[in-house]
Amino acid sequence: MRWLLCALALLAGLAQADARQPRIAVIDWGLTETLLGLGVTPIAVAQTEGYRRWVQAPELPASVIDLGLRVEPNLELLSQLKPDMILITPQFAASRPQLERIAPVHMLAIYTPEAEAYTGAQRVTRELAELLGREAQGEAMIARIDATMARVKVRLASRALPPFYVLTFLDERHVRLFGKQSIYQGVLDRVGLRNAWSGPTNYWGFSQQGIERLAEEPGAALQYGATEGY
């Protein structure tokens, strides 16, 4: 009987080990947001104060450790934390060789030349969910967001709404305008609204312009916020 109890205890321990949430460090805020949406809390994130200021939701638990700057994370601290994996985006690929000395690095890209950012965000959600064995949670999250978009589109369909500038203020004379390839463009398209900015954008879907450019669509509405700091 004792051997059976020992075997059961061993199996229970193995099951707990398999179910243990991986220790994940994240350098990018978008991946942090997606990870939290999948129900996984990272052990550490770069620039946690910036995440709490600019992203806000999902809320980042107080237990998450700050790794310092995203462009120059604290490698000594990261090594001490002994993560199982580190998540980055191509924006921070320069740090990959150093990070790989600490733990396996997974690079996931929302922004690519091949697809719009909204589609890229869905793809990354599925990639991250598969990596963590949380495919069901990933599909559920995508379905919830799609359903919300559909409901908003129905609610707005009967309203005569102006085009929207989606922007952040850089200073008193300059703005960052979001257009094609941006996440915001994907949202506007899916709820049936027109983006007032149809000009060129960069890799991340925005363009820095003088504030006078807003006069090109005098009837447009503004959706704006402060700019994030790097």
Side-chain angles (χ1 to χ4, degrees), residues 85 104 139 148 170 188:
M85 68 178 74
E139 293 302 324
T148 299
L170 299 174
L188 292 174

Side-chain angles (χ1 to χ4, degrees), residues 75-136:
L75 299 179
E76 182 178 355
L77 173 59
L78 187 56
S79 181
Q80 292 171 357
L81 293 173
K82 300 185 184 303
D84 296 317
M85 68 178 74
I86 301 169
L87 303 179
I88 67 171
T89 60
Q91 182 181 0
F92 307 109
S95 300
R96 184 167 190 167
Q98 294 94 330
L99 297 174
E100 286 180 331
R101 298 191 188 107
I102 299 171
V105 174
H106 297 275
M107 187 161 65
L108 304 167
I110 292 175
Y111 296 92
T112 66
E114 296 78 25
E116 56 149 352
Y118 192 97
T119 301
Q122 290 183 324
R123 173 179 43 74
V124 165
T125 298
R126 290 189 169 102
E127 290 173 349
L128 191 53
E130 182 178 3
L131 180 65
L132 301 174
R134 289 179 169 257
E135 292 89 345

